[in-house]
Amino acid sequence: MYTIGIDLGGTNIAAGVVNEQYQLVGKASVKTALPRPAEDVADAIKEAALLALSDAGLTLDDMENIDSVGIGTPGAVNNDGVVEFSGNLGFVNVPLRDMVEERIGKKTCIANDANAAALGEALAGCGNGVKDFIAVTLGTGVGGGIIVGGKLLTGVNGAAGEVGHMILQMGGEHCQCGSDGCFEQYASATALIRQTKDALIRDFGKKSAMWDLIDGALENVDGKTSYQAARAGDELALKVVDQFTEYLAVGVANLINIFQPEVLCIGGGISKEGDYLIKPLTEKVNTMRFAKTAKQQTRIVPATLGNDAGIIGAALLNTQN
C-alpha cells in the first residue's frame, strides 16, 4: 500500500507518494497561486496528488492501493481537520480535510506543516526508532513538533508544538504573533540575518570578512554570511555566531528540561552547518540541562530529510490515528 503526502505552502503545493518503507517513490509540485478561494486550492491539491501518482508509475486505476492522504498546512489546524487560521494561505475556518477527502475519495488526515515535518523526521529520518522526539526547524521563524510515545502532541486544540513562540525574553523583540521576546525572534534564520546586520552596523569601519562576502551591501546578508566568515576565523562573525548559538541553546535547553526526549533534531538551512553548529550548541545546552547527572541524555542531531520531511510526514499522519 501507498500513502500520499501533501506539503501545502504559500508558493508551492508539493505532493509525494510514500511506500510502506517510508520512501518517496514519486513527487510533483504545482503552484499554490494565491490569493484564490480555498476550493481552488483543494482542486490544486488533487492535481498535485495525481501528478505525483503519475511520477510513481501509478494511475487512477491504482487508487485501491492508496491507503490515505495526508496534508501538512501552515497555520492553526484543529482536531476536526479545519484550518482555523492561516495568514500565509488566507484561510479562516476552512474545512480543508473534508474538502480534499471529497475530491480524492480517500481518507484524509491534516496537521500543521511543522508537526508533519517533525513526524517525518521522527519516523523516517534522524529519529527513526525513537519514541520521544522533538524537531526544531530554523527558517523564517522557528517551527517545531513534539512526539511523545510515538504520537504527535497536538494539545486540546491542535495547536501544540509551537516551539518558536516560547517567550525567551520578557519585553524582548516584537514577534508577528503579537507577543514580545519569542524564541524565533532570537534563533531563526531571520533573526541571524538581523543580528549579522546589527553587528556590521555597530562595528562599521572595522575590518570584517563579512563585508567582502556581501560585496559591501547589507541587503546581501543571508543566513550563511556569519557562518562562512566565522569558519575563516573572522572575529566579528565568531561573536555573532556565538551569540546566536547561545540564544538557540536557551530554547533547546528549555525543551529538553520539559520533555527529556531521546533525540532533538535541528532542521532548516542552518542545520547544514553540521558539527560546526551542533557541537557548540550541545556544549552550551549541557551547562543548562536540569538532569545533568542522568545516565541517559537527549542527543542533539541535525535533521536528515531536508525538504522531503514535510511530504513524508504528511503521508504518515495516518499512523497517528
Side-chain angles (χ1 to χ4, degrees):
M1 294 293 287
Y2 301 96
T3 52
I4 296 174
I6 305 291
D7 188 3
L8 174 58
T11 303
N12 297 302
I13 301 170
V17 179
V18 175
N19 65 19
E20 293 177 339
Q21 289 73 48
Y22 302 163
Q23 298 167 326
L24 270 173
V25 296
K27 288 175 65 176
S29 177
V30 300
K31 294 295 182 183
T32 315
L34 298 172
R36 58 172 165 168
E39 290 79 6
D40 292 352
V41 174
D43 289 340
I45 288 173
K46 178 180 179 180
E47 178 189 357
L50 293 177
L51 288 171
L53 279 172
S54 177
D55 188 57
L58 301 170
T59 68
L60 283 174
D61 293 334
D62 299 304
M63 284 299 284
E64 69 271 12
N65 295 318
I66 303 299
D67 178 72
S68 62
V69 176
I71 305 168
T73 176
V77 185
N78 69 25
N79 294 324
D80 294 321
V82 175
V83 182
E84 293 183 334
F85 176 77
S86 176
N88 289 352
L89 301 174
F91 285 3
V92 177
N93 292 325
V94 172
L96 188 62
R97 181 189 67 190
D98 292 346
M99 292 168 68
V100 172
E101 195 166 276
E102 289 170 4
R103 284 162 171 79
I104 298 181
K106 288 291 178 178
K107 174 187 174 182
T108 299
C109 308
I110 187 169
N112 171 267
D113 52 0
N115 280 348
L119 184 64
E121 284 289 352
L123 297 182
C126 61
N128 183 257
V130 170
K131 293 293 185 183
D132 298 309
F133 176 87
I134 295 178
V136 177
T137 304
L138 313 179
T140 303
V142 173
I146 300 164
I147 314 291
V148 178
K151 298 292 184 181
L152 267 172
L153 181 66
T154 57
V156 67
N157 52 14
E162 289 288 346
V163 302
H165 297 288
M166 291 186 294
I167 304 300
L168 216 63
Q169 184 170 326
M170 288 181 61
E173 297 282 350
H174 186 67
C175 183
Q176 289 183 339
C177 76
S179 295
D180 296 322
C182 289
F183 183 26
E184 71 175 38
Q185 294 304 310
Y186 298 89
S188 61
T190 303
L192 177 58
I193 291 169
R194 186 186 70 246
Q195 291 158 13
T196 302
K197 289 180 178 180
D198 288 348
L200 287 167
I201 292 169
R202 188 173 57 247
D203 285 17
F204 186 76
K206 293 185 179 180
K207 184 174 177 58
S208 170
M210 290 192 287
W211 285 113
D212 295 328
L213 289 171
I214 63 173
D215 295 325
L218 286 174
E219 61 265 27
N220 292 332
V221 171
D222 61 23
K224 301 176 183 177
T225 302
S226 57
Y227 272 96
Q228 283 181 282
R231 284 179 180 274
D234 183 76
E235 183 178 346
L236 183 60
L238 285 165
K239 289 179 180 178
V240 171
V241 168
D242 184 67
Q243 180 190 55
F244 174 79
T245 308
E246 190 79 24
Y247 286 133
L248 180 58
V250 172
V252 167
N254 285 341
L255 291 169
I256 290 174
N257 288 341
I258 295 168
F259 294 100
Q260 297 296 337
E262 186 175 341
V263 172
L264 183 145
C265 88
I266 304 294
I270 298 173
S271 69
K272 294 178 182 178
E273 298 295 336
D275 285 345
Y276 198 75
L277 168 70
I278 299 299
K279 185 176 179 181
L281 173 62
T282 302
E283 290 173 353
K284 290 179 184 296
V285 169
N286 284 345
T287 69
M288 305 176 198
R289 293 182 194 263
F290 172 74
K292 289 184 177 68
T293 59
K295 185 176 180 180
Q296 192 169 4
Q297 296 286 349
T298 299
R299 291 184 289 115
I300 302 172
V301 303
T304 58
L305 296 181
N307 293 333
D308 290 338
I311 299 174
I312 295 173
L316 300 181
L317 286 171
N318 64 334
T319 67
Q320 301 298 290
N321 298 328

